[in-house]
Amino acid sequence: MAVNKITIAPGVDQYTLINKNKTLAVMVLTYGAIVSHILTPDKTGTVRDVVLGFDDYESYKNPANPYFGAVVGRYGNRIGKGQFTVDGKDYQLAVNNGPNALHGGLEGFDKRIWTATVVSEEPASVRLELVSPDGDQGYPGTLTTQLTYTVTDKDELILEYHATTDKDTVLNLTNHSYFNLSGVGLNSNILDHRVTMTDEVKAVLECDGNCLPTGKVLSWSEVPWMNFSGENAGKAIGARLERLESTRGYDHPYVIHNDYKTDTADLPLRHAVNVYSPDTGIELDFSTTEPAFQFYTGGWITPDKMESKKDQGKVKLGPSSGFCLEASRNPDSPNKPDWRSAVLLQKDGVYTGKTVYAFHARLD
């Protein structure tokens, strides 16, 4: 069986997706559509678990848990002052991140039980569905969201999003997995991971002191420490942190394209980022149809409140224990006229997106 299911708590199931070569195994929970484990061999053949998470479901309810592995929605990332307007009506969301609304609210998609359906055994694929009622967390419209996870023989984890609504609304879905390609136990921080961004990554968005985009797009010449391409390809995450003290490392939205529409299924899958761990030789290639991604290096992970999984040595987790590549629409798009068309999902419209995380080991 390439898809295995176990019940880990009342009403909560865990699905394990394994490819034919047994070189990639991914565990997914129906709680929060969480990716709890990603298992892949390193350069010595040792299997490493390369995402942060917990062995037991209850630990995901720890208030210190910073969305490990979860799908965040309805609106991933930030909305300024928690306010937006749709069809002439003003909406106010809970403000839960300084002056902003973050990741869908106090009870976002990361805290819901999703319904799972096995799509296929080969490739190993499961579809999770969540119906969010009109008014949920302050958002308009009954929203039906489907996310399909697929593990391929090319050692890829593919995420495909699909959503519809019965009333105009705003939507921005992403997965908040934290990767540590050293498997945590070997190295509990990711500052020595090497990052290369391809020419598909065009720029970075300027943000204010509350991590909210100002609307200005910054070129690499304006913020060279944000650049991981050209002569900066392969730079360590920790190499230029003195320029990033206010955000405790990287926590910034990067620009891939500006084709701002809700349905990105017909857009090309763009290979944007490669991240490599010298400790294990494991590298991650990140590709997406989305216009942007948040590169976050875990500077705000609460120290000494959580520990890694058993297969990662049960070590203490803290700042810089993992990094995120959150494919998405731009933060605060509902309030930015030039970006709004990417997140305004209309009653007769469809929201789609596709992201691929591919894992390989460089053999010395």
Side-chain angles (χ1 to χ4, degrees):
M1 294 282 285
V3 180
N4 299 303
K5 170 190 169 183
I6 60 171
T7 299
I8 61 169
V12 180
D13 296 324
Q14 181 184 72
Y15 287 80
T16 302
L17 312 179
I18 306 172
N19 66 2
K20 192 164 56 177
N21 304 323
K22 297 185 177 178
T23 49
L24 184 63
V26 176
M27 298 180 192
V28 177
L29 307 183
T30 53
Y31 178 75
I34 286 169
V35 174
S36 63
H37 301 68
I38 297 179
L39 304 168
T40 193
D42 69 9
K43 61 187 176 183
T44 70
T46 303
V47 174
R48 303 284 180 185
D49 185 351
V50 295
V51 287
L52 303 188
F54 306 106
D55 288 316
D56 64 296
Y57 152 71
E58 288 298 328
S59 291
Y60 284 99
K61 296 183 175 181
N62 182 339
N65 170 26
Y67 306 94
F68 283 161
V71 170
V72 289
R74 294 188 187 191
Y75 201 95
N77 218 311
R78 296 163 178 86
I79 295 178
K81 299 180 181 178
Q83 298 173 349
F84 62 90
T85 301
V86 173
D87 294 335
K89 182 177 179 181
D90 296 333
Y91 292 88
Q92 178 66 58
L93 310 174
V95 170
N96 60 340
N97 179 255
N100 304 319
L102 178 70
H103 292 337
L106 303 177
E107 294 288 335
F109 287 6
D110 61 296
K111 297 177 178 66
R112 305 296 174 87
I113 304 294
W114 296 56
T115 301
T117 304
V118 175
V119 176
S120 65
E121 294 282 342
E122 197 173 302
S125 184
V126 63
R127 182 174 61 247
L128 300 175
E129 181 173 292
L130 181 68
V131 178
S132 172
D134 184 22
D136 187 9
Q137 304 301 298
Y139 291 88
T142 299
L143 182 78
T144 301
T145 300
Q146 295 178 335
L147 169 58
T148 302
Y149 288 111
T150 304
V151 171
T152 76
D153 289 337
K154 295 180 180 179
D155 298 321
E156 299 165 325
L157 171 60
I158 301 174
L159 287 68
E160 295 172 286
Y161 299 88
H162 182 278
T164 55
T165 181
D166 66 356
K167 185 190 297 185
D168 291 2
T169 191
V170 296
L171 183 62
N172 183 29
L173 299 170
T174 190
N175 178 275
H176 212 304
S177 286
Y178 289 72
F179 300 97
N180 181 317
L181 303 180
S182 300
V184 185
L186 199 59
N187 190 339
S188 62
N189 81 61
I190 44 80
L191 296 179
D192 198 40
H193 282 38
R194 310 304 165 90
V195 178
T196 298
M197 295 187 182
T198 72
D199 291 341
E200 297 288 3
V201 183
K202 307 302 184 187
V204 66
L205 298 179
E206 181 184 67
C207 292
D208 64 18
N210 293 305
C211 291
L212 200 71
T214 63
K216 182 180 179 182
V217 178
L218 299 174
S219 67
W220 300 136
S221 61
E222 293 174 281
V223 281
W225 57 92
M226 295 288 184
N227 185 9
F228 288 92
S229 60
E231 64 181 18
N232 292 298
K235 283 275 191 187
I237 287 173
R240 298 171 286 183
L241 293 187
E242 74 279 357
R243 304 303 302 262
L244 299 160
E245 290 181 2
S246 65
T247 49
R248 300 186 186 180
Y250 294 91
D251 190 8
H252 298 82
Y254 281 76
V255 177
I256 299 176
H257 66 79
N258 58 4
D259 196 345
Y260 295 129
K261 57 182 184 176
T262 58
D263 184 0
T264 70
D266 62 345
L267 297 180
L269 191 66
R270 293 172 168 94
H271 176 217
V273 185
N274 172 276
V275 186
Y276 166 71
S277 164
D279 296 319
T280 60
I282 295 173
E283 61 181 345
L284 165 61
D285 284 299
F286 164 74
S287 305
T288 188
T289 62
E290 294 293 90
F293 64 94
Q294 188 85 1
F295 180 45
Y296 173 48
T297 54
W300 300 95
I301 298 175
T302 306
D304 302 323
K305 296 287 188 182
M306 300 170 290
E307 62 181 19
S308 66
K309 291 164 279 186
K310 188 183 298 183
D311 65 5
Q312 296 172 329
K314 304 286 278 187
V315 300
K316 291 288 187 183
L317 299 175
S320 305
S321 285
F323 69 91
C324 304
L325 293 167
E326 305 163 55
S328 64
R329 319 295 155 100
N330 293 339
D332 201 35
S333 286
N335 298 310
K336 301 289 194 292
D338 290 347
W339 304 343
R340 185 174 164 86
S341 58
V343 300
L344 181 61
L345 178 60
Q346 296 178 316
K347 180 179 177 180
D348 58 351
V350 62
Y351 178 107
T352 64
K354 181 177 181 179
T355 296
V356 179
Y357 300 104
F359 301 88
H360 305 286
R362 296 184 191 174
L363 303 179
D364 293 338

